[in-house]
Amino acid sequence: MASYPQNPYSVATNTKEEATAYLARIKLPETLLASPPTLQLLSTLFLAQLENVPKDTSPLHVPVAAWSGPSAPIVLGSSFEGMPVGALAHDLIVKSRKGAFCFSINATLAAFLRYFGFRVSEMVTRCYKQLGENPETHPLGWHWGTITHETLVVDWDGSDGRYLVDGAWGPWNQTSPPGPYARRIKLENGNVVPGLNSYEAFQVRYEPLPLSPWMPQPIDSIPGWTLSRYITPVGIKIAYPITSDTPGYWTPLFHFLPISIPVLDFALYHHFSATHALASFTAFWLITKVIPNSGGARRSMMYAEKEGMPRRAKVYTTGGEESLGSQEGRDIEWVDMETGAMQAWLAKEFGYKFD
């Protein structure tokens, strides 16, 4: 970002050419360009986004020039400036057919949705650190991290409410089955929405940031939205309505205040997440996206430095109807943390382009 914008709340919007290219990137027809904003259109665009654009931290670890040179070891955190800020990630995502992390993916998705007439508010979230655990029974309770994630809230003229849209929340999918009854996560207190299979459900609650009784309480606080996922014992499908007698528990994903964030503030959050010496995303390699027509199964690649362990990224599949609610990885393979082997795998399996 070269200079201060004249308006701190300026927003990016795709041109027709950019929106056309984005539709091609997510494998949808150009005829959708003439579509007015509707819930059905939002659901269609969002599911295609999840199935085609990965959450990806690789730009933080491999300088662009390194992909075209001889194969070399990938060094985590060696490309601090490699992740484009905000909607500047359009070319990385659309032309190079790669992925990015949340402050790039969701900003780029927001610009795309605005082309159709959707009103998109870009917000930031505080993520739950003990992902998948029950905060009521876990020793660390409601253990929240810092603000390290961007999400979107969407509505349009004539809509019946506002909807949560997130193209870069890696672990789970936050969507519901496509079709005439497709539902997004509508921001209504206590609203429960099914996921893409029988073992996923999501809920939003309007509340102050949940804290455990022994935690210091803030002096001043305003309510926000907490997004949670329901976890059932493996093999038990979710029956609706979910009550206190339903086997399982709600695990929080993130909490956010309903406040639009100025574009320059996103540059600050991006810096703390990607270019600061203590940036969390530079400590691991992650590429993950939903497998099309799989009931929400996700193909992921993960690597973190562990002393004495081989330098190979683990590739695995989680979720979907086949998983029966388990988050254990299956269909496992390994890729050497070398630019040559990694480039070949990403081009073949995820369709990445390398100039």
Side-chain angles (χ1 to χ4, degrees):
M1 189 172 297
S3 62
Y4 283 84
Q6 290 183 344
N7 179 352
Y9 287 97
S10 26
V11 293
T13 303
N14 277 181
T15 63
K16 183 178 181 179
E17 180 181 9
E18 290 170 334
T20 301
Y22 205 107
L23 283 171
R25 171 68 175 93
I26 60 176
K27 300 179 182 178
L28 290 177
E30 185 177 338
T31 52
L32 286 177
L33 286 174
S35 302
T38 63
L39 181 56
Q40 182 62 54
L41 177 64
L42 181 62
S43 297
T44 298
L45 298 177
F46 181 63
L47 183 58
Q49 166 82 20
L50 292 179
E51 292 179 339
N52 291 284
V53 181
K55 180 174 182 177
D56 180 3
T57 68
S58 67
L60 299 172
H61 311 301
V62 184
V64 173
W67 291 119
S68 58
S71 185
I74 293 173
V75 179
L76 297 185
S78 61
S79 181
F80 269 17
E81 303 295 332
M83 187 72 74
V85 179
L88 294 177
H90 177 90
D91 286 354
L92 175 73
I93 292 170
V94 175
K95 294 182 179 179
S96 297
R97 304 186 64 81
K98 296 176 182 174
F101 78 165
C102 61
F103 292 112
S104 303
I105 282 187
N106 277 330
T108 305
L109 175 60
F112 173 60
L113 293 176
R114 291 184 187 113
Y115 173 84
F116 295 91
F118 291 108
R119 189 178 69 155
V120 186
S121 179
E122 297 178 55
M123 302 181 183
V124 290
T125 80
R126 187 178 303 279
C127 302
Y128 182 61
K129 298 296 288 182
Q130 308 302 320
L131 193 63
E133 301 290 345
N134 184 347
E136 301 295 347
T137 59
H138 192 275
L140 295 179
W142 291 87
H143 183 203
W144 298 99
T146 55
I147 294 174
T148 53
H149 183 67
E150 175 178 356
T151 197
L152 308 176
V153 173
V154 180
D155 62 4
W156 57 95
D157 287 344
S159 65
D160 64 346
R162 310 188 73 193
Y163 293 85
L164 181 64
V165 173
D166 198 322
W169 182 256
W172 291 299
N173 307 319
Q174 303 176 54
T175 190
S176 56
Y181 302 106
R183 289 177 289 174
R184 293 292 316 119
I185 298 179
K186 187 177 182 180
L187 291 182
E188 290 181 341
N189 186 34
N191 186 27
V192 174
V193 179
L196 283 170
N197 58 67
S198 305
Y199 305 93
E200 288 185 348
F202 300 93
Q203 181 186 61
V204 285
R205 298 194 65 84
Y206 187 64
E207 60 189 357
L209 179 71
L211 296 170
S212 299
W214 67 85
M215 294 178 174
Q217 303 297 307
I219 296 172
D220 298 300
S221 179
I222 62 173
W225 293 97
T226 304
L227 174 68
S228 301
R229 178 186 186 258
Y230 203 74
I231 302 284
T232 63
V234 175
I236 297 181
K237 295 182 179 181
I238 296 175
Y240 299 91
I242 297 174
T243 69
S244 58
D245 295 326
T246 303
Y249 57 88
W250 289 106
T251 183
L253 303 181
F254 56 70
H255 177 91
F256 66 96
L257 300 179
I259 300 173
S260 298
I261 303 299
V263 62
L264 274 179
D265 287 12
F266 276 111
L268 177 65
Y269 293 125
H270 177 104
H271 168 63
F272 182 75
S273 296
T275 59
H276 189 274
L278 298 178
S280 59
F281 285 95
T282 61
F284 59 88
W285 175 281
L286 173 66
I287 304 177
T288 178
K289 74 178 182 70
V290 173
I291 301 171
N293 305 311
S294 67
R298 180 176 286 275
R299 193 67 172 161
S300 303
M301 169 184 276
M302 183 74 182
Y303 174 78
E305 299 282 3
K306 292 184 179 179
E307 188 175 353
M309 298 296 291
R311 298 193 78 256
R312 297 187 301 164
K314 181 180 180 180
V315 183
Y316 55 96
T317 299
T318 53
E321 201 73 29
E322 179 185 343
S323 74
L324 303 179
S326 170
Q327 287 302 308
E328 291 295 319
R330 59 188 186 273
D331 302 327
I332 295 170
E333 56 182 306
W334 300 87
V335 180
D336 290 339
M337 288 294 289
E338 302 271 341
T339 54
M342 188 63 68
Q343 179 174 332
W345 192 91
L346 290 173
K348 178 183 177 182
E349 301 296 333
F350 277 12
Y352 281 25
K353 291 184 177 180
F354 298 91
D355 298 327

